[in-house]
Amino acid sequence: MNGPILETERLVLRPTSLDDFPRWCEMMADETAARFVGGVQSPPEVWRGLMGMAGAWSLTGVAMFSVIEKASGQWVGRLGPWQPHGWPGCEIGWGLHPDAWGRGYAIEGARAAMDYAFDVLGWDAVIHCIDPDNRPSEKVAERLGSRLEGPGRMPPPFAHVPVNIWGQSREAWRAHR
């Protein structure tokens, strides 16, 4: 694993590992869980996504963390910094396995990831690309102190996907924290 390991009260955030594949497949096979993070995917498609995330860690030092629940040691999702070529900004994103929903893990993990993005990566601002129909993610963004900045445009192959850009500056984050 190339990259940092962050810990919160209940979570370990670490780079992608092959051990994450089975639970990642479960998440991406669930229509509701996958709806706003690329849609339902087969195991070969999930494999490519997992390899892309691992490759981003290796080549750029920036990728979403795998989220591990401390109490169980189980993979519960992925979240954190994401900055693919052509992306509308430096993103902190999240996607959790359905059995981890409603526990506050997205907020807990995203707070640690935002601290990391501002304090270690030196980002001046973060965004969250959120589908206009994804009210639960909007609530997470609001609780993080982010504000709706307006509609955004994703790069291919996601150019057809509608998103709203939520975000905040480093100064706003520090004032909110």
Side-chain angles (χ1 to χ4, degrees):
M1 283 186 264
N2 293 330
I5 296 174
L6 309 180
E7 290 195 37
T8 69
E9 181 180 339
R10 302 175 298 160
L11 306 171
V12 174
L13 308 179
R14 61 150 174 78
T16 307
S17 163
L18 283 176
D19 295 338
D20 306 338
F21 184 63
R23 293 271 296 164
W24 199 325
C25 284
E26 285 178 23
M27 181 179 83
M28 295 309 294
D30 183 285
E31 281 188 39
T32 305
R35 178 176 176 201
F36 299 118
V37 292
V40 170
Q41 295 178 3
S42 67
E45 291 169 309
V46 173
W47 179 263
R48 286 191 294 278
L50 183 136
M51 291 296 127
M53 201 66 68
W57 272 117
S58 180
L59 295 174
T60 69
V62 176
M64 288 194 187
F65 295 98
S66 281
V67 182
I68 309 302
E69 183 181 55
K70 282 183 178 179
S72 67
Q74 186 162 259
W75 185 93
V76 295
R78 56 172 185 59
L79 62 76
W82 191 228
Q83 198 176 21
H85 182 74
W87 219 246
C90 298
E91 180 168 22
I92 298 293
W94 47 84
L96 297 178
H97 192 286
D99 63 19
W101 293 352
R103 298 183 186 181
Y105 289 165
I107 294 163
E108 183 176 333
R111 283 182 177 143
M114 288 180 66
D115 284 341
Y116 176 78
F118 289 131
D119 297 341
V120 177
L121 298 177
W123 289 1
D124 293 324
V126 299
I127 64 165
H128 321 290
C129 300
I130 301 175
D131 186 291
D133 293 331
N134 190 347
R135 186 64 187 133
S137 277
E138 290 177 343
K139 287 180 181 179
V140 171
E142 289 169 348
R143 291 207 38 211
L144 293 170
S146 292
R147 300 288 175 249
L148 178 61
E149 297 178 355
R153 183 135 176 97
M154 303 297 284
F158 306 106
H160 67 284
V161 177
V163 295
N164 284 329
I165 304 295
W166 290 70
Q168 64 184 290
S169 68
R170 179 183 338 182
E171 293 75 27
W173 175 246
R174 290 195 172 132
H176 177 76
R177 286 291 274 162

